[in-house]
Every structure is written in C-alpha cells, then in structure tokens.
C-alpha cells in the first residue's frame, strides 16, 4: 500500500536545544485545521545542512519548506500539519492529526523530517495501514508510540447479504462521524469487518452503529493485536501507450473502453491519489494510485520509453 513505507516508522532528527522549560504533556487535537499565532523572541539561523528548527518555520520559513512538496494537491493539508508541529514543539507536548490519506502523510513526513527539534510517528493500527494518524512532538515528549488508534469489530450475518467496503463506510458515516476520524476498514467476509477509528469516538460507534445495509450488526472494541488482515492481492501487466493521459492508462489497466473511462472521469467517478480528477488529459506518473468507482484500484509501476517514442507502463491491479 501507499503508506506502507511510512506506517509504524518514526523520524528523529538532531535536536536543537529548546528555549522553553520542559513541561511534557499530551494533548489530542480533534481538528488539525485550527491554528494559533506564536511569536518567538530569539530566532535561530538556518543550518548549513538544510535542517530548520521549528522557531525558524514560525518566522516564515514554512513557505520555503512547502516548496519541496511534490504533490501540489496536498499543500494546504501539509501546511496545517506544519502549524500543528510548531505548536507541539513550542509547547513541549504531543499533538495528533486525524487519519490522513497516503499522499498527505507522505508529503508531511518529508517536510517534517527537515525540522530539527521534532519527532514524528505515523500509526494506522497495523503495519500495512493505508490511512494513518501522525503524532508530532518534541523528542523529549514523544518517547513512546502514542495510543491514538482504536479498533472495532462489526459483526453480523452477512452470509446471504454480503456487504462491500462502501456499505460499511456508508453505515459508519451515517452515524454522523466525519471521514477523517476513520482509518482503514478491513473486510472479514461473512463475519463483517474490522474498523480503525480515533479512540474518542469508539464508544459512540459501539452504541450508535446497529445496521450495515440491511444486516443488523453489533459493534465492540477489540485490541489492535486482534485485527485480522491480509496483504493485498495484486496482478501486474504491461501496456504500451502513446501518451500518459489518465483516460488512456486507466482504460488499459481496468480493461474498459477509453470512451467509457472518459465518461467515468467526467462524472467524477475517478480519483488519482485519493483526489477526484475530472480531466481525461491529466498526466499519470510512476507511483500514482488510480481508483475507479465500481472497478477497484490500480497502481502505476515503472514507466519507460520505447524505441518508437511510446511509453511502456507497468499496471498493478488490486484484486
């Protein structure tokens, strides 16, 4: 999965002595999009190695850091996470984001690892989690993996009425919970599903969720170690394309006509790296994840040029 290389990892860079007295606390932030303006009296100078301190970022260098963001669709989200990191470092506490999509998580980790007096940990509940929460704090405050992900088991008789990932997601969101409060949903076949969620909403879901589709369900908390999951099954193929347009590559990967794929794109049924794309001529690159409603997911592998000026594209289809 896209977040495999980042989940269950911590990034620790050299520590610049803090100006503040050390009062470690832990604070859970339900909304990472709120911010406060902080002013530091004594600025630090940039490191010759390109590693900034958080005080530097507070004084305006955050914009410089964001110039290195490769996925421009994530800039606003990454900027808010940098603001969260600034507050965590200056207040000597640990703060948590909600669940992040893989592109936002990846770009945030790449930016935050350049900040000296900060430690970050990404956790999604299990090693191959796709959606993860990011915890940030001063290294002296963030000494252990945070307990910021809870697991629930949703069970019912799905033998005669199988439910999809979308059915479980729709039922959970129908209780009023926002999407960014939910992590991955792990289908368990006829038994139901295991769901990752922010801990503060686990009790609410246990009491509020009573039906998925037309199936009555019960919901209970389970330890993270009780999660049941399997690595995704994939099938790889190669296609020779005249261009790297989204409609051309996706139609080859999902084995549908280009006309149908163009219609799906214009209707808003296609996402690239978890963002809806409505232009068929969007350029695709290695590492992109293409999701099509009703068709599944496709990851773009290695892309190479042929002697005739075309493109040999590796297509990794999730089964």
């Amino acid at each position: 999965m896209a977040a495999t290389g980042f989940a269950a990892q911590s990034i620790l860079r050299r520590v610049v002595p803090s100006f503040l007295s050390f009062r470690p606390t832990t604070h859970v932030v339900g909304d990472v999009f709120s911010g406060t303006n902080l002013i530091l009296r004594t600025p630090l100078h940039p490191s010759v190695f390109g590693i900034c301190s958080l005080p530097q970022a507070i004084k305006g260098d955050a914009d410089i850091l964001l110039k290195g963001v490769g996925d421009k669709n994530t800039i606003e989200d990454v900027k808010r996470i940098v603001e969260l990191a600034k507050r965590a470092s200056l207040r000597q506490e640990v703060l948590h984001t909600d669940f992040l999509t893989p592109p936002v998580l990846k770009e945030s980790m790449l930016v935050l690892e350049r900040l000296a007096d900060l430690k970050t940990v990404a956790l999604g509940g299990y090693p191959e989690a796709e959606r993860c929460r990011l915890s940030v704090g001063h290294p002296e405050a963030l000494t252990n993996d945070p307990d910021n992900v809870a697991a629930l088991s949703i069970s019912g008789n799905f033998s005669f009425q199988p439910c999809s990932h979308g059915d479980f997601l729709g039922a959970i969101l129908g209780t009023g919970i926002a999407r960014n409060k939910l992590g991955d949903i792990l289908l368990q076949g006829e038994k139901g599903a295991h769901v990752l969620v922010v801990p503060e909403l686990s009790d609410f879901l246990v009491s509020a969720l009573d039906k998925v589709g037309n199936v009555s369900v019960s919901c209970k908390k389970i330890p993270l170690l009780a999660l049941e999951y399997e690595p995704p099954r994939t099938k790889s193929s190669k296609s020779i394309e005249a261009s790297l347009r989204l409609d051309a590559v996706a139609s080859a990967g999902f084995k549908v006509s280009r006309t149908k794929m163009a219609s799906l794109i214009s209707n808003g049924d296609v996402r690239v790296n978890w963002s809806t794309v409505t232009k068929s001529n969007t350029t695709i690159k290695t590492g992109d994840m293409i999701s099509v409603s009703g068709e599944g997911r496709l990851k773009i592998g290695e892309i190479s040029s042929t002697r005739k000026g075309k493109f040999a594209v590796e297509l990794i289809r999730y089964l």
Side-chain angles (χ1 to χ4, degrees):
M1 293 185 179
T4 301
F6 299 91
Q9 293 184 4
S10 63
I11 298 178
L12 178 60
R13 289 296 182 262
R14 65 188 183 90
V15 180
V16 175
S18 173
F19 297 137
L20 306 178
S21 60
F22 175 54
R23 298 190 301 274
T25 59
T26 299
H27 178 56
V28 177
V29 173
D31 182 3
V32 303
F33 302 119
S34 60
T36 56
N37 294 322
L38 300 176
I39 300 175
L40 187 70
R41 294 178 180 175
T42 309
L44 291 184
H45 297 290
S47 165
V48 295
F49 298 105
I51 299 178
C52 303
S53 70
L54 262 296
Q56 276 183 257
I58 291 171
K59 293 187 69 63
D61 287 346
D63 291 336
I64 296 177
L65 291 173
L66 292 173
K67 288 183 179 179
V69 175
D71 187 343
K72 301 307 179 183
N73 294 323
T74 68
I75 286 181
E76 288 303 316
D77 289 330
V78 174
K79 184 176 181 179
R80 291 165 185 137
I81 292 170
V82 170
E83 293 291 331
L84 182 81
K86 285 157 40 175
R87 297 200 302 275
S89 180
L90 287 176
R91 296 176 183 178
Q92 302 286 337
E93 59 188 0
V94 178
L95 301 179
H96 314 290
T97 70
D98 290 323
F99 285 98
L100 306 175
T101 62
V104 174
L105 178 67
K106 176 182 177 180
E107 296 292 354
S108 298
M109 295 284 277
L110 291 175
V111 169
L112 294 179
E113 72 175 346
R114 298 172 61 190
L115 301 176
D117 46 352
L118 185 76
K119 180 178 179 181
T120 61
V121 176
L123 294 174
Y126 65 106
E128 296 180 349
E130 191 169 88
R131 297 172 63 88
C132 295
R133 299 188 75 185
L134 190 60
S135 298
V136 294
H138 192 281
E140 294 182 59
L142 186 52
T143 56
N144 299 306
D145 284 349
D147 184 19
N148 66 349
V149 179
L152 301 176
S153 174
I154 303 173
S155 57
N157 185 5
F158 295 94
S159 302
F160 302 103
Q161 296 185 20
C163 286
S164 66
H165 180 282
D167 293 325
F168 282 95
L169 177 60
I172 295 171
L173 297 184
T175 65
I177 290 181
R179 181 65 181 96
N180 57 10
K181 302 297 183 181
L182 294 178
D184 289 357
I185 297 175
L186 306 172
L187 299 181
Q188 304 295 310
E190 297 180 355
K191 296 184 294 183
H194 290 169
V195 178
L196 285 307
V197 64
V198 294
E200 57 267 28
L201 291 179
S202 57
D203 287 334
F204 170 77
L205 263 182
V206 167
S207 62
L209 187 64
D210 58 5
K211 183 170 287 190
V212 175
N214 294 319
V215 179
S216 296
V217 299
S218 60
C219 187
K220 66 177 182 180
K221 300 179 187 179
I222 60 173
L224 292 177
L225 291 177
L227 287 171
E228 297 179 12
Y229 62 94
E230 296 180 0
R233 294 184 299 116
T234 60
K235 182 178 180 181
S236 297
S237 62
K238 284 211 171 183
S239 179
I240 305 299
E241 301 296 331
S243 74
L244 296 177
R245 286 172 55 111
L246 172 60
D247 56 353
V249 175
S251 64
F254 290 102
K255 301 189 184 303
V256 300
S257 70
R258 190 161 173 173
T259 300
K260 179 179 179 180
M261 183 55 63
S263 177
L264 289 168
I265 294 170
S266 63
N267 289 336
D269 293 324
V270 178
R271 293 180 296 168
V272 177
N273 298 330
W274 290 268
S275 296
T276 299
V277 176
T278 57
K279 295 183 179 180
S280 294
N281 63 352
T282 300
T283 300
I284 296 303
K285 62 184 182 301
T286 296
D288 281 349
M289 184 75 73
I290 303 173
S291 304
V292 178
S293 299
E295 298 289 344
R297 295 184 300 162
L298 175 73
K299 186 174 182 179
I300 307 303
E302 182 180 354
I303 299 175
S304 58
S305 299
T306 68
R307 292 181 179 179
K308 295 183 178 182
K310 296 186 177 182
F311 299 94
V313 184
E314 181 185 14
L315 304 169
I316 305 170
R317 181 80 179 269
Y318 285 81
L319 305 177

